[in-house]
Amino acid sequence: MRILYLGDIVGRPGRVAVKKHLPGIRAAEGLDMVLANAENASGGLGLTAEGAGELFASGLDGLSSGNHIWKYRDMPSYMQREPRLIRPANFPPGLPGRGFTVLQKPGLPPVALINLMGRTYMQAIDCPFRAADAILAELDAARPEVKIRLIDFHAEATSEKSALGWHLDGRVSAVLGTHTHVQTADARLLKSGTAFMSDLGMCGPTDSCLGMDVQPILRKFLTAAPERFEVADGPVSLTGAILDIDDTTGQAREIRAWRFNV
C-alpha cells in the first residue's frame, strides 16, 4: 500500500494548493491513501469545521492535529461526529474526539491512524509513550487484522520524536513527526521495519517563517513586543513523506521525503 502523509497544512494557501493539485499528485505517485496534519489549516492556527470539510472534499482520507486543535468553538462537536479527524490521544481523559481511528477504503486493507503529542517544550499532558502502548494493546485485542498502523507524533523536540520511533520500532508501520513545519532529511527504516521521519514539514507559503508573514515575526524577535501573525502570501510548497507498506505484515518497505512546488 502506498500512502502520502502531508505535513502541517497552513492556512488558505495550503488548503487551496492541496485542493488544486492533489488529484494529479495522487495519479502521478500511484497513491492508495493521502493523510495530513491539519491543525493549522484555518487562518494559520487551528482548524474550523468548514476547513476540515473542505480538506476532506479535496480528497484527503484522514486528518490528524495537535496543540492548536481547540482554537475554534465548532471543532469539539465536529470531531465527535467525524471519525476521520483525530486529535492527540494523550490529552487527559474527558475531552471530545478520538485519539485514533481506523480508516477503510474499498478494496484496500484497513489503516489505523494514531495521533500523539510531545511534552518536551510543549504543554504538560499525559505520557505519549504509554498512550501509544495502550492504543496498540487495544488494537491487538479488538482489531488484530489492522496491520498498517501510522503515528503522527506532533512534537517539538527531535530527541523525543526519535525516542518514540525506537520505542515503537517493529510495532507500528511508521512514526512521523509534525509541528515544526521544517521538513527533515532523516527519513529511514528502523531496524525492525518501522518507517521514521522527524518532521514532514508543511504545506504552505515558502517565503515565510513557518508559513507566516516574515515582517511581524522579525519585529517580535527584534523588539520582544507582541505582534499579530498572519499567513504569508506567495509561492507554496507541499511537503511530506511517501510510504510503501507491506499489506500483510504492516512493515514499511520504503519511506522517502516528498516535496511538490506549486
Side-chain angles (χ1 to χ4, degrees):
M1 190 170 186
R2 176 165 287 188
I3 299 172
L4 169 62
Y5 211 123
L6 297 171
D8 300 45
I9 297 172
V10 181
R12 179 175 173 79
R15 297 198 319 272
V16 169
V18 168
K19 180 178 181 179
K20 182 177 181 181
H21 297 284
L22 187 55
I25 292 168
R26 188 186 288 272
E29 296 287 357
L31 302 172
D32 298 306
M33 182 174 284
V34 185
L35 309 169
N37 185 293
E39 73 139 11
N40 295 303
S42 297
L45 194 70
L47 177 66
T48 63
E50 181 180 0
E54 180 181 335
L55 291 174
F56 284 128
S58 298
L60 288 169
D61 299 298
L63 299 175
S64 50
S65 61
N67 52 308
H68 296 307
I69 192 58
W70 310 112
K71 178 176 173 62
Y72 293 101
R73 292 181 180 180
D74 61 356
M75 185 44 56
S77 61
Y78 181 83
M79 280 195 295
Q80 289 291 85
R81 63 181 187 272
E82 178 48 83
R84 296 174 296 171
L85 170 65
I86 58 175
R87 45 82 171 168
N90 55 316
F91 274 120
L95 289 175
R98 52 190 63 76
F100 75 97
T101 191
V102 175
L103 303 169
Q104 180 79 67
K105 296 183 70 176
L108 294 172
V111 174
L113 177 60
I114 302 166
N115 203 175
L116 298 167
M117 193 164 84
R119 298 189 293 182
T120 304
Y121 309 127
M122 295 187 74
Q123 184 179 357
I125 57 175
D126 295 344
C127 177
F129 293 79
R130 297 186 185 277
D133 291 341
I135 291 170
L136 294 179
E138 182 177 343
L139 284 169
D140 287 341
R143 297 293 304 273
E145 78 281 7
V146 182
K147 302 298 184 184
I148 300 176
R149 301 173 179 187
L150 307 177
I151 291 187
D152 172 356
F153 191 28
H154 198 73
E156 187 76 39
T158 304
S159 58
E160 190 177 17
K161 295 176 181 181
S162 179
L164 186 71
W166 286 115
H167 180 65
L168 299 176
D169 184 24
R171 296 196 284 156
V172 300
S173 307
V175 175
L176 305 169
T178 59
H179 179 64
T180 69
H181 293 203
V182 177
Q183 188 183 48
T184 53
D186 61 346
R188 58 176 297 198
L189 296 181
L190 301 182
K191 289 182 177 180
S192 297
T194 292
F196 175 80
M197 187 170 176
S198 290
D199 205 280
L200 298 173
M202 70 169 185
C203 299
T206 53
D207 296 339
S208 68
C209 284
L210 309 185
M212 309 306 283
D213 185 61
V214 172
Q215 293 307 314
I217 293 175
L218 288 179
R219 289 195 297 269
K220 183 175 177 64
F221 277 117
L222 288 166
T223 67
E227 289 283 346
R228 180 181 176 86
F229 296 163
E230 301 284 350
V231 178
D233 296 321
V236 171
S237 289
L238 309 179
T239 71
I242 290 181
L243 306 158
D244 285 314
I245 301 173
D246 189 293
D247 295 356
T248 56
T249 66
Q251 287 191 327
R253 292 176 174 170
E254 183 182 5
I255 177 173
R256 60 181 172 93
W258 176 87
R259 182 184 186 94
F260 180 86
N261 294 319
V262 174

